[in-house]
Amino acid sequence: AILGFGREVVIMSAEVVVGDRPKLRVHVRAKQHRRGRCGRCGGLAAWFDNGDGVRSWRHVDAGFATVELVAVARRVNCGACGPTVAALPWARHNSSFSRAFEDLVVHDAIVGNKQAAADRYAVSWRAVNNMCIRVATEALGQLDLLDGLVAIAVDEVKYKKGHKYLTVVCDHVTGRVVWAAKGRSKAVVGDFFDALGDDRAAQLEFVTADGATWITDVVAVRAPDAIVCLDTFHVIGWATTALDEVRREEWNRLRRAGAAQAAKAFKGLRFLLRRNWENLTGAQKGVIRDLERANSRTFRAWQLKEELRDIFELPLLRAQRALDDWLAYASRSKLAPFVKLARTIRVYRASIEATIEWRFTNGIAESNNAAIGRIRANARGFHDPHAFITMIMLERGGLGPDLPWTTAS
């Protein structure tokens, strides 16, 4: 019980090896059965031989001593895999560490980073990386994250300098990441739908995205019945960008006119104009009101941004009428950035109205992206996107192992 073994493991003897750090060497064997299981595919097979004889596995430390499990790694004659080391109850296939030790190290790698876990348990970074891969691969073999999807969020996250991105798919119901792959393109989104399959793609009811055509074009073909909802944050982001362009035009006009002091004061309004009206102080609201007299073009742009925000809070029918009025006003505003924005919103109007009706946003994807950013920061970056994806699936996909003493049998 101290070592966390169940009935499938028989402890034959134990000895203490004295050294710079004491080692507890425990000789074990698996409970005998007429047939064994293949370590690769898990199928039942006849025993073949004793393999390479005695092997050892690093186990969870006991006090100041490291624990080493020693046993004969027998082989089975698997019909599918050929002669293969039999599955062992205390260790994963092709590993020099016990299952409990790997779960503990991977848990520490998730909450911290791989190098910190490697230093703590005196193993190499590469060993920790391989443990993470084994744990994630085993979990994905037992659980299909793509099963039962009805509402998903698709977004990209940067993993390296130089426009290096991953495409991440999240489940709106569970909030978990269910799929991730290197790149952001129509081909990558197509790979997701290939993994999902046509039958399950037909069950998708909602897809939220940021309006990128490399997402929406593929969804229109592979899941034509799914309702595409455009993320509110990105629509308001478009309006904020348009507002900033108008402010910048006015600032440049003041500079060219020789009004240096006015231009300097006007430049300081950038972040004030971006803030939501309800988050402004009384003094800041007064500045906005004064702007109507000081610079009507910028005030008109700010009004358009705030009115667009308010539309997303309205019921659908009222929002449709308000959006008609907003588009008409923006098109006649003589503000080039907002005239262009009105054309963009007309293109995405169906998705915007779906967002207002069903209240689906890409917030779950943005939340996971923030957590993914913390994973990247804790690791000080990733050279290999596949190693990054492994850590994403372990933490944000819910595949991370429990601590061994909570699952000891």
Side-chain angles (χ1 to χ4, degrees):
I2 293 176
L3 294 176
F5 295 146
R7 294 182 178 181
E8 290 297 314
V9 181
V10 179
I11 299 176
M12 297 186 294
S13 65
E15 58 181 332
V16 176
V17 180
V18 179
D20 293 336
R21 184 178 180 185
K23 178 186 295 183
L24 177 61
R25 182 174 292 152
V26 182
H27 294 265
V28 298
R29 66 172 175 83
K31 186 177 180 180
Q32 292 183 351
H33 295 280
R34 293 182 61 184
R35 305 176 74 191
R37 288 194 176 275
C38 175
R40 289 195 179 96
C41 67
L44 286 172
W47 295 108
F48 186 70
D49 61 15
N50 286 336
D52 294 330
V54 175
R55 288 178 54 185
S56 62
W57 295 262
R58 170 87 179 271
H59 193 48
V60 178
D61 298 342
F64 288 96
T66 60
V67 178
E68 182 182 73
L69 305 180
V70 180
V72 174
R74 300 177 68 187
R75 295 198 299 175
V76 294
N77 190 14
C78 178
C81 307
T84 308
V85 175
L88 298 169
W90 61 81
R92 294 180 175 89
H93 185 69
N94 200 28
S95 175
S96 298
F97 306 96
S98 72
R99 182 181 295 271
F101 183 78
E102 287 190 335
D103 289 350
L104 181 61
V105 174
V106 171
H107 180 275
D108 281 12
I110 292 172
V111 299
N113 61 67
K114 294 177 184 177
Q115 189 58 56
D119 294 341
R120 179 174 181 179
Y121 295 103
V123 295
S124 67
W125 178 92
R126 193 166 299 280
V128 177
N129 183 62
N130 290 336
M131 292 182 202
C132 292
I133 293 173
R134 279 193 292 270
V135 171
T137 301
E138 180 185 70
L140 287 172
Q142 299 171 350
L143 177 66
D144 187 357
L145 295 176
L146 302 182
D147 195 32
L149 294 178
V150 292
I152 61 173
V154 186
D155 204 357
E156 78 273 4
V157 61
K158 192 171 185 178
Y159 76 89
K160 196 176 181 180
K161 290 182 179 179
H163 300 287
K164 304 291 185 180
Y165 289 90
L166 303 177
T167 297
V168 178
V169 180
C170 307
D171 182 2
H172 273 286
V173 177
T174 63
R176 292 178 175 178
V177 174
V178 296
W179 190 86
K182 178 184 176 182
R184 56 167 184 174
S185 64
K186 292 182 179 180
V188 176
V189 179
D191 290 341
F192 164 72
F193 279 101
D194 289 341
L196 186 64
D198 292 338
D199 291 340
R200 293 190 294 191
Q203 296 174 6
L204 285 178
E205 297 180 14
F206 299 96
V207 177
T208 62
D210 58 8
T213 56
W214 59 270
I215 299 173
T216 55
D217 288 355
V218 178
V219 172
V221 175
R222 303 296 295 271
D225 295 332
I227 299 172
V228 177
C229 298
L230 192 61
D231 184 42
T232 308
F233 174 82
H234 287 86
V235 177
I236 304 305
W238 296 342
T240 303
T241 300
L243 169 60
D244 202 47
E245 289 179 15
V246 174
R247 181 200 60 82
R248 194 159 51 245
E249 289 173 1
E250 293 301 297
W251 172 63
N252 286 325
R253 183 182 62 80
L254 290 172
R255 284 196 311 125
R256 288 192 296 267
Q261 287 297 111
K264 183 177 180 180
F266 199 73
K267 184 177 181 181
L269 296 177
R270 177 183 180 187
F271 294 103
L272 180 62
L273 293 171
R274 286 186 171 192
R275 295 190 69 185
N276 298 336
W277 173 256
E278 62 271 15
N279 295 332
L280 296 176
T281 64
Q284 290 171 334
K285 290 179 179 179
V287 172
I288 296 295
R289 293 188 185 100
D290 292 341
L291 187 64
E292 183 176 8
R293 295 189 300 272
N295 192 297
S296 60
R297 283 175 58 83
T298 305
F299 181 77
R300 198 157 66 246
W302 175 84
Q303 275 187 315
L304 284 167
K305 187 263 290 185
E306 287 296 314
E307 288 170 358
L308 186 60
R309 283 185 59 244
D310 293 339
I311 289 173
F312 281 92
E313 302 299 324
L314 298 174
L316 179 60
L317 293 179
R318 289 180 58 192
Q320 288 173 331
R321 291 193 294 269
L323 190 56
D324 287 335
D325 295 339
W326 188 94
L327 289 170
Y329 182 39
S331 299
R332 298 194 305 267
S333 65
K334 297 183 180 180
L335 302 173
F338 278 93
V339 173
K340 179 181 177 182
L341 176 60
R343 289 197 296 266
T344 302
I345 288 180
R346 285 190 176 95
V347 172
Y348 291 100
R349 178 160 184 169
S351 295
I352 292 173
E353 291 182 357
T355 301
I356 295 171
E357 180 180 5
W358 298 102
R359 302 296 173 183
F360 272 111
T361 72
N362 232 27
I364 190 65
E366 299 299 338
S367 174
N368 277 314
N369 284 353
I372 290 169
R374 290 193 294 271
I375 296 173
R376 183 180 61 246
N378 288 343
R380 306 298 188 269
F382 286 86
H383 291 291
D384 181 9
H386 300 291
F388 192 15
I389 292 171
T390 298
M391 297 308 297
I392 291 171
M393 299 309 298
L394 285 170
E395 179 174 346
R396 304 310 303 172
L399 302 182
D402 293 323
L403 290 170
W405 42 85
T406 63
T407 58
S409 56

